[in-house]
């Protein structure tokens, strides 16, 4: 699958899906799926990227995610064993941030969906609630 090759390959496929004159009708039709049926990438990578972009944030993303993504057992597993669904970038980011994320620290959001509600070629969307309820 093209989506397993990464976001650049997906973008190229999406672009080619608009050019049946170059790739043919059948290929263009197959590539159109890249515009509507993207697979989400690993949540560990998404949360690591969030921590990377908010370098000042020391706590977990949300309290409901602490057990799954911030416990010592999970952090050890994420840094010691490469998961098939987790890219080397996720491993690198998690290892880099694992040392400075305090699982007991203040959370960024009051609550957040553990899985994306939508995904695209270059990102995915999670639903979150701020501490003020919005």
């Amino acid at each position: 699958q093209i989506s397993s090759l990464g976001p650049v390959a997906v973008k190229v496929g999406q672009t080619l899906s608009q050019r049946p004159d170059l790739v043919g009708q059948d290929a263009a039709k197959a590539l159109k799926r890249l515009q509507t049926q993207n697979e989400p990438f690993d949540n560990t990578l998404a949360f690591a990227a969030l921590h990377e972009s908010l370098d000042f944030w020391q706590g977990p993303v949300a309290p409901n995610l602490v057990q799954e993504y911030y416990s010592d057992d999970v952090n050890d597993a994420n840094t010691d064993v490469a998961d098939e669904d987790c890219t080397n970038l996720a491993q690198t980011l998690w290892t880099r941030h694992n040392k400075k994320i305090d699982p007991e620290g203040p959370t960024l959001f009051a609550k957040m969906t553990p899985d994306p509600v939508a995904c695209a070629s270059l990102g995915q969307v999670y639903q979150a609630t701020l501490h003020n309820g919005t």
Side-chain angles (χ1 to χ4, degrees), residues 78-97:
N78 282 342
T79 56
D80 294 339
V81 179
D83 186 338
E84 288 179 16
D85 296 328
C86 194
T87 65
N88 288 337
L89 177 59
Q91 297 297 327
T92 301
L93 288 173
W94 194 264
T95 300
R96 185 178 343 166
H97 289 286

Side-chain angles (χ1 to χ4, degrees), residues 95-116:
T95 300
R96 185 178 343 166
H97 289 286
N98 183 31
K99 293 181 177 74
K100 67 183 219 177
I101 296 172
D102 177 9
E104 303 293 323
T107 59
L108 186 59
F109 299 106
K111 149 175 94 166
M112 184 172 166
T113 57
D115 294 310

Side-chain angles (χ1 to χ4, degrees), residues 30-45:
L31 291 169
K32 284 229 186 250
R33 288 188 217 123
L34 294 172
Q35 295 180 5
T36 59
Q37 299 174 1
N38 284 303
E39 293 292 323
F41 51 85
D42 189 86
N43 288 328
T44 303
L45 176 59

Side-chain angles (χ1 to χ4, degrees), residues 3 7 10-11 37-50 53 61 65 69 85-87 90 109 112-128:
S3 59
V10 170
K11 278 295 181 196
Q37 299 174 1
N38 284 303
E39 293 292 323
F41 51 85
D42 189 86
N43 288 328
T44 303
L45 176 59
F47 298 147
L50 182 59
S53 64
V61 175
L65 303 175
Y69 292 99
D85 296 328
C86 194
T87 65
F109 299 106
M112 184 172 166
T113 57
D115 294 310
V117 295
C119 61
S121 57
L122 298 177
Q124 51 199 39
V125 177
Y126 293 83
Q127 189 172 14

